[in-house]
Amino acid sequence: MWKWLHPYAKAQTSYELAGKLVPWFVAVCSISFVVGLVWGLAFAPADYQQGDSFRIIYIHVPSAIMSMGAYTSMAIAAFIGLVWQIRLADMAVAAMAPVGAVFTFIALFTGAAWGKPMWGAWWVWDARLTSELILLFLYLGVIALYNAFSDKVLAGRAAGILTLVGVVNIPIIHYSVEWWNTLHQGATITKFAKPSIDSSMLWPLLIMLLAFKAFFGALMLMRFRNEILQRECHRPWVKALVMQEK
Amino acid sequence: MNPRRKKRLGAILAIVLGLGSAVGLVLYALSQNIDLFYTPSELVQGKGKDLVKPEVGQRLRIGGMVLPGSVERDQNSLKVSFQLYDAGGDFVTVEFDGILPDLFREGQGIVAMGVLKDSHTVTASEVLAKHDEEYMPPEIAESLKGIQHFKPEYTEAQLQGGNQ
């Protein structure tokens, strides 16, 4: 049943597949980024209460969603890496971690910049903000742990376990605004009910979401290729590749 | 699936499930303390199963909707007082001496940090506006909610800094 997947457990095949996919992700990302950003920042109407300040939603929400999405993808890869002991899955975890960490930082930073004029405070220790900060520390922990070992097989295993342990934080972040009283508002689009945002503002947001997803895919694949080359640098196929480049 | 993989799968599932339930229990035990603020009915009637009421003099945060028509401003200073309400039907008066955030409006949610003066009054040192998850252009807000949206207008004297 899974036979078609087997060739991709080989580093060279995955390296070549990732190389073929990168341009597609870059193309989707650059088109939707330009369309979404111009539409969102220039053409979408201002909010009835927040005025133009609400436009930070077009950066803040996609990066916050991707900070959790990237972590979930890392957890799935770490799970596969630990149970089936596929080295490429560990490499994927290492490739995704810094990208996710940057998304988390962007979400926290834009949130603080919006919070000062709207709420009246840069930072409040409410459940949503605190659990998102913990997510940033989890990312930094995974990155640090992976780089702390010179034996990369061991490093991948340690980082994978930390990633899986940290995954309990993801539902806490998502449901924090429902379970507790928080200053942060509830979910606008990531819920089963109809999005509580007008469609003229929703479309650019969805396009920005696509842009961030493609951006994550492109960056992750590039980092994944680098990781494969570094880990396999003594293999004949990498040497042949380098000779070919010269 | 071969036995070694099955063993690893079991171990990992046990770790994640065990940790998940441990965190879940901790959060459940702390649930009242993780709340950022009291709602007016929690402050008046008590909070949780045991109906714990905060003591007078305690520092706390109170969050609720500003009751329309209850905002009273002092003519000669920045002192302002207003009432908060929630779905529970209780009212709490907040006294504040300072600058209110831009989003402070009647009917809007706010969170105030301060000291409990008596069972229904909080002397706030900080007032934060809580925004809801709804976003819409002004025209739609007007037709949907009947909210009249207008920018605050200032007289010539106010713009020049006079306090007439």
Side-chain angles (χ1 to χ4, degrees):
Chain A
M1 178 183 155
W2 297 101
K3 265 202 170 134
W4 58 274
L5 256 181
H6 287 179
Y8 298 108
K10 200 178 155 211
Q12 191 180 357
T13 331
S14 278
Y15 177 83
E16 281 159 9
L17 176 72
K20 271 181 212 148
L21 288 177
V22 166
W24 293 99
F25 277 98
V26 170
V28 171
C29 170
S30 36
I31 293 171
S32 52
F33 208 90
V34 171
V35 172
L37 212 58
V38 171
W39 190 353
L41 295 188
F43 294 103
D47 184 60
Y48 75 115
Q49 282 199 316
Q50 302 177 38
D52 284 327
S53 310
F54 100 96
R55 292 182 201 280
I56 203 138
I57 198 177
Y58 297 115
I59 306 291
H60 178 75
V61 171
S63 54
I65 289 177
M66 283 318 294
S67 72
M68 292 195 279
Y71 199 90
T72 315
S73 323
M74 270 169 67
I76 295 169
F79 182 75
I80 293 169
L82 284 173
V83 175
W84 285 274
Q85 302 210 323
I86 294 168
R87 291 174 316 125
L88 283 168
D90 290 342
M91 296 182 201
V93 173
M96 283 186 263
V99 188
V102 170
F103 278 135
T104 316
F105 179 77
I106 293 174
L108 287 169
F109 183 82
T110 51
W114 176 86
K116 185 63 185 167
M118 287 300 127
W119 292 344
W122 296 103
W123 183 265
V124 179
W125 290 101
D126 86 344
R128 173 57 76 81
L129 276 65
T130 310
S131 53
E132 183 78 8
L133 185 67
I134 291 173
L135 182 68
L136 179 63
F137 292 149
L138 277 171
Y139 273 121
L140 298 181
V142 170
I143 297 167
L145 202 56
Y146 186 76
N147 291 309
F149 294 89
S150 50
D151 175 5
K152 286 299 168 197
V153 177
L154 193 63
R157 207 178 297 160
I161 291 173
L162 179 62
T163 310
L164 276 176
V165 164
V167 84
V168 290
N169 193 29
I170 296 296
I172 296 177
I173 297 177
H174 184 79
Y175 290 106
S176 55
V177 290
E178 289 175 27
W179 290 343
W180 300 295
N181 293 335
T182 54
L183 188 61
H184 194 285
Q185 59 264 42
T188 298
I189 54 169
T190 52
K191 58 183 182 187
F192 293 113
K194 190 175 172 291
S196 39
I197 177 168
D198 191 68
S199 55
S200 56
M201 300 161 160
L202 178 63
W203 281 110
L205 181 58
L206 293 180
I207 294 173
M208 283 306 285
L209 204 56
L210 176 71
F212 270 69
K213 275 192 204 307
F215 185 54
F216 172 70
L219 280 187
M220 182 265 159
L221 287 173
M222 289 174 187
R223 287 188 47 82
F224 183 53
R225 274 160 64 88
N226 279 347
E227 195 68 34
I228 292 177
L229 287 188
Q230 263 175 9
R231 292 264 294 260
E232 303 267 290
C233 59
H234 298 301
R235 295 290 169 91
W237 72 271
V238 178
K239 284 183 181 157
L241 196 75
V242 174
M243 295 309 281
Q244 205 184 331
E245 294 275 308
K246 274 179 187 169
Chain B
M1 205 184 267
N2 73 30
R4 282 178 58 221
R5 281 178 195 161
K6 207 172 263 179
K7 206 172 139 196
R8 287 196 297 262
L9 181 70
I12 288 164
L13 284 183
I15 290 174
V16 170
L17 287 180
L19 202 87
S21 47
V23 171
L25 287 174
V26 168
L27 291 178
Y28 180 72
L30 290 175
S31 59
Q32 293 184 13
N33 300 329
I34 296 175
D35 282 336
L36 186 72
F37 51 81
Y38 286 91
T39 63
S41 30
E42 281 171 353
L43 193 74
V44 173
Q45 291 166 8
K47 182 172 183 174
K49 273 199 294 264
D50 309 325
L51 295 180
V52 187
K53 284 185 196 175
E55 291 163 21
V56 170
Q58 188 179 328
R59 271 183 83 73
L60 49 79
R61 286 200 186 88
I62 171 94
M65 307 293 239
V66 180
L67 184 70
S70 71
V71 182
E72 285 170 22
R73 289 174 199 271
D74 191 77
Q75 290 299 313
N76 302 317
S77 68
L78 286 172
K79 281 194 184 116
V80 60
S81 82
F82 50 87
Q83 285 197 309
L84 294 180
Y85 71 100
D86 67 347
D90 285 296
F91 299 93
V92 168
T93 308
V94 176
E95 294 168 351
F96 180 57
D97 185 5
I99 297 167
L100 293 167
D102 279 359
L103 272 186
F104 181 91
R105 310 220 169 124
E106 294 180 354
Q108 173 81 29
I110 65 115
V111 175
M113 187 167 81
V115 177
L116 193 65
K117 201 168 140 196
D118 59 54
S119 66
H120 285 69
T121 316
V122 174
T123 310
S125 53
E126 183 183 38
V127 172
L128 303 176
K130 179 168 160 54
H131 183 260
D132 65 13
E133 66 273 24
E134 292 186 2
Y135 300 86
M136 56 186 96
E139 315 86 76
I140 292 182
E142 216 164 281
S143 61
L144 203 68
K145 296 179 146 187
I147 294 172
Q148 288 294 319
H149 185 82
F150 48 87
K151 285 185 178 166
E153 284 177 15
Y154 300 103
T155 62
E156 204 55 33
Q158 276 174 321
L159 286 174
Q160 280 158 15
N163 53 352
Q164 281 84 16

